Amino acid sequence: MSRNAYIVGTGHHVPEHVVTNADMEKIVDTSDEWITTRTGIKERRKVEGSTASSDLVSVAVQNAMEMAGWKPSDVQGIIVGTVTPDYPFPSTAALVADRLKMGNIPAYDFEAGCTAFIYGLIQAKAFIESGIMDRMIVVGVDCLTKITNWDDRGSCILFGDGAGAVAVSSEGPGGRLGGWHWGSDGSLGEHLMQIGGGSKNPASHGTVDRNEHTIFMNGARIFKHAVRAMHDSCMKALEQDGTEKKDVDLLVSHQANLRIIDATARALELEPEQVYINIQKYGNTSAASIPIALDEAYRSDAIRETSTVVLAAFGAGLTWGGMILHW
Ligand code: ACO
């Protein structure tokens, strides 16, 4: 008998500290009006002091396990998608598995920019449908404000911090992981990158002086690609799933820019109430944006027992992906 993978628990956590557009006006030459009309963002959350990704993840995972009715010892593996782990190594996943007393389970981080959560769900589907695991945790987390260039008004107004997690099981009921699509194009990688800190340009006084440990982004180029990639990912995931546009109940997409979300919704011919949007509250939380939105949508009843949900994302790499969920 063929096996399926189901989302049986969702959770998220964001830092308490709120940074409004009025606060951003004090940091760079910008305005609430510009940020709101160009991006849809009104405020974002920012971690303070030494708070790191693992701190946000621990709470998000506990919330997801609670909804699933799981004890830490029920979890057979945890994977964390992030570009802002606590350390280059050890992995944030291993730190969280230890902190939450999950035992000596497989735990690793992986990186696919803002697409990481969808990449993670596709890995979970493979692990669970093949019988390698029965119960695992998939996390998307980023603390982009730790690597934001606060002198660059074209990017610093976009980012916020947060974590989202799902518990994925071989046993329903829950949101069944359906058709998917994923891809990448490294030839476009230079348009969105952190230049310093890796093996190419290891940390040095020079990399710090040149601000190379912060995000470099060619916004206009990414925007153009994002609209096409999101549309493509949705259509290919729907086709693989055998689902038509008219049968979609809700779009939960990466929250990077309201105009990109609107373009994706138009391509799917969705009504405004069929699109989950929280970018106004959190900005772009990178790998965390879809699992945060999914958790909020589920807990606010925007997702019901019979919902067909489309997930879509794009991000650094460049990467892109889509997945269909059936509740
Ligand atoms: N406030 C006021 N003016 C600004 C600001 C600001 N914060 N930022 C840029 N401007 C100015 C520019 O200087 C430019 O002025 P000019 O015409 O005098 O040269 C003007 O506004 C227009 O700039 P554009 O860059 O063309 O503005 P655009 O409409 O493209 O919006 C934005 C910029 C919001 C960054 C958009 O391109 C975007 O959202 N791109 C996608 C970014 C993205 O999604 N990245 C996600 C990846 S994150 C990850 O994977 C880790």
Side-chain angles (χ1 to χ4, degrees):
M1 209 175 81
S2 72
R3 288 165 60 97
N4 284 314
Y6 303 88
I7 293 177
V8 295
T10 61
H12 81 274
H13 186 61
V14 292
E16 272 177 30
H17 181 58
V18 175
V19 179
T20 64
N21 288 348
D23 296 324
M24 294 306 305
E25 289 174 2
K26 293 177 202 143
I27 299 171
V28 283
D29 180 14
T30 190
S31 65
D32 174 45
E33 199 266 333
W34 193 95
I35 300 173
T36 306
T37 54
R38 296 293 178 117
T39 72
I41 299 166
K42 297 300 280 184
E43 58 189 43
R44 69 286 289 147
R45 301 298 180 96
K46 184 173 181 297
V47 287
E48 293 181 287
S50 62
T51 302
S53 290
S54 67
D55 301 307
L56 304 183
V57 173
S58 297
V59 183
V61 169
Q62 279 172 315
N63 291 339
M65 287 198 305
E66 194 179 319
M67 187 190 287
W70 290 1
K71 301 183 294 300
S73 58
D74 291 330
V75 178
Q76 296 172 329
I78 175 168
I79 60 175
V80 174
T82 185
V83 294
T84 51
D86 285 27
Y87 310 103
F89 58 90
S91 71
T92 300
L95 297 175
V96 170
D98 174 62
R99 196 178 302 171
L100 298 184
K101 302 197 179 348
M102 290 174 173
N104 303 124
I105 59 169
Y108 64 88
D109 294 356
F110 61 96
E111 186 209 300
C114 304
T115 315
F117 182 71
I118 289 182
Y119 271 48
L121 284 185
I122 295 169
Q123 292 174 73
K125 182 176 164 74
F127 282 138
I128 287 182
E129 290 187 356
S130 63
I132 291 175
M133 290 191 216
D134 286 317
R135 290 173 303 281
M136 64 180 288
I137 298 284
V138 180
V139 176
V141 61
D142 270 308
C143 292
L144 287 189
T145 70
K146 296 261 184 165
I147 57 165
T148 293
N149 179 351
W150 296 102
D151 295 326
D152 177 15
R153 68 174 181 170
S155 67
C156 72
I157 48 100
L158 297 173
F159 305 126
D161 303 328
V166 291
V168 188
S169 173
S170 57
E171 278 181 38
R176 181 172 60 78
L177 308 189
W180 78 95
H181 174 72
W182 54 348
S184 76
D185 184 353
S187 73
L188 300 170
E190 64 187 11
H191 298 297
L192 182 55
M193 68 190 299
Q194 184 180 331
I195 294 164
S199 57
K200 189 81 172 172
N201 303 296
S204 68
H205 290 291
T207 60
V208 172
D209 292 344
R210 290 190 296 274
N211 223 351
E212 290 175 356
H213 295 276
T214 59
I215 298 167
F216 167 79
M217 187 182 81
N218 178 347
R221 193 66 201 269
I222 299 287
F223 189 96
K224 217 170 94 187
H225 174 78
V227 172
R228 207 179 46 234
M230 297 271 277
H231 173 260
D232 229 42
S233 293
C234 291
M235 295 310 163
K236 288 186 172 144
L238 281 170
E239 191 184 330
Q240 203 213 43
D241 197 65
T243 296
E244 292 183 34
K245 283 195 278 195
K246 67 174 176 43
D247 296 320
V248 173
D249 296 303
L250 189 71
L251 170 67
V252 180
S253 79
H254 175 41
Q255 311 278 309
N257 186 314
L258 191 54
R259 291 181 288 149
I260 297 172
I261 302 171
D262 284 346
T264 310
R266 272 197 305 278
L268 287 172
E269 295 167 27
L270 296 175
E271 299 298 325
E273 63 275 13
Q274 294 177 297
V275 186
Y276 195 83
I277 293 169
N278 62 8
I279 191 171
Q280 70 283 0
K281 293 192 290 184
Y282 305 128
N284 178 353
T285 57
S286 187
S289 91
I290 290 181
I292 292 174
L294 197 60
D295 184 40
E296 286 192 344
Y298 190 79
R299 289 176 195 264
S300 68
D301 290 333
I303 294 173
R304 294 181 203 85
E305 291 306 310
T306 54
S307 293
T308 294
V309 179
V310 176
L311 309 182
F314 68 95
L318 297 183
T319 55
W320 54 85
M323 182 171 258
I324 313 302
L325 305 176
H326 295 282
W327 254 273

